[in-house]
Amino acid sequence: NAGVTQTPKFRILKIGQSMTLQCTQDMNHNYMYWYRQDPGMGLKLIYYSVGAGITDKGEVPNGYNVSRSTTEDFPLRLELAAPSQTSVYFCASSYAQITSEQYFGPGTRLTVT
Amino acid sequence: AQTVTQSQPEMSVQEAETVTLSCTYDTSESDYYLFWYKQPPSRQMILVIRQEAYKQQNATENRFSVNFQKAAKSFSLKISDSQLGDAAMYFCAYRGTGNQFYFGTGTSLTVIP
């Protein structure tokens, strides 16, 4: 049971490039989330999904896109990377029940220069 | 939307002493869960403890305990016998009947040898 896995761990992008951050969970969780964490700051929700085929915007969705074609995978797409997207990105998942905590991946450190 | 407030950006404690981290939240819901997460320098988010709103008894996990005051909407974390490994960022989180988790901005805990 690997939990929540994210790839890559680190990435440097040039301004204007695009990339996809991968997230996979093997716990059969319905709910999945993407957060960004800027240095010394808390978590900001980018997008979330309550099941395959269903996604919704969080607090800071601009510049990002997501898709959820399977229960396990929830990739985050960055189009036209900007320096403001330099951050650490966390994927998380949970069961639908209110009792469930979130399980987090190890994070992806992204630098846009 | 629910809000979670951590009013102490930084705290410090002497090794073996006790420290309390504060968290308040705002909600109109009656059923919800509260969580404390620890984020060490490795960045991995680790669940420390959870509390159900309907339970009057405060949750305890080894050296970690909470002081849950439902009427005051307060959920503080007490760390007893502090250890060097407790040094981390601590986040308070709320989960209600909606699809999202709400996080505070975090408290950075330093443990002084």
Side-chain angles (χ1 to χ4, degrees), chain B residues 43-111:
Chain B
R43 296 201 312 263
Q44 180 68 52
M45 293 283 281
I46 303 163
L47 178 68
V48 174
I49 199 165
R50 80 178 79 198
Q51 174 77 42
E52 181 182 3
Y54 273 111
K55 284 191 176 176
Q56 294 192 352
Q57 186 174 5
N58 289 324
T60 300
E61 290 286 344
N62 300 315
R63 297 183 294 107
F64 298 86
S65 61
V66 300
N67 183 4
F68 175 49
Q69 304 285 334
K70 190 172 183 179
K73 296 179 182 174
S74 171
F75 180 59
S76 59
L77 175 70
K78 186 171 85 170
I79 306 174
S80 303
D81 186 25
S82 297
Q83 301 175 0
L84 295 177
D86 295 333
M89 183 76 84
Y90 287 82
F91 292 97
C92 176
Y94 169 102
R95 182 177 194 180
T97 54
N99 299 324
Q100 297 185 33
F101 287 72
Y102 297 88
F103 285 83
T105 50
T107 297
S108 178
L109 179 66
T110 299
V111 180

Side-chain angles (χ1 to χ4, degrees), chain B residues 28-43:
Chain B
S28 57
E29 297 180 312
S30 58
D31 189 17
Y32 51 88
Y33 270 73
L34 297 162
F35 306 88
W36 277 99
Y37 281 89
K38 171 185 178 182
Q39 187 181 41
S42 67
R43 296 201 312 263

Side-chain angles (χ1 to χ4, degrees), chain A residues 59-105:
Chain A
E59 182 184 358
V60 290
N62 291 343
Y64 307 94
N65 276 301
V66 294
S67 59
R68 183 99 181 268
S69 56
T70 67
T71 299
E72 296 77 21
D73 300 306
F74 189 42
L76 177 72
R77 177 85 178 158
L78 277 71
E79 304 282 1
L80 297 174
S84 61
Q85 292 178 306
T86 294
S87 191
V88 178
Y89 291 84
F90 288 97
C91 179
S93 70
S94 74
Y95 291 109
Q97 295 88 336
I98 192 175
T99 56
S100 172
E101 75 267 30
Q102 278 184 323
Y103 296 77
F104 284 84

Side-chain angles (χ1 to χ4, degrees), chain A residues 11-76:
Chain A
R11 183 73 186 267
I12 299 174
L13 278 182
K14 293 191 184 304
I15 295 171
Q17 287 185 322
S18 300
M19 76 164 293
T20 299
L21 280 65
Q22 301 292 346
C23 176
T24 300
Q25 53 91 10
D26 62 358
M27 296 172 282
N28 203 31
H29 288 165
N30 291 101
Y31 288 22
M32 295 187 75
Y33 310 79
W34 275 107
Y35 295 92
R36 60 176 287 173
Q37 185 180 29
D38 297 332
M41 305 293 283
L43 299 170
K44 292 186 178 178
L45 182 64
I46 305 171
Y47 272 96
Y48 66 99
S49 168
V50 299
I54 306 169
T55 62
D56 210 345
K57 296 178 180 179
E59 182 184 358
V60 290
N62 291 343
Y64 307 94
N65 276 301
V66 294
S67 59
R68 183 99 181 268
S69 56
T70 67
T71 299
E72 296 77 21
D73 300 306
F74 189 42
L76 177 72

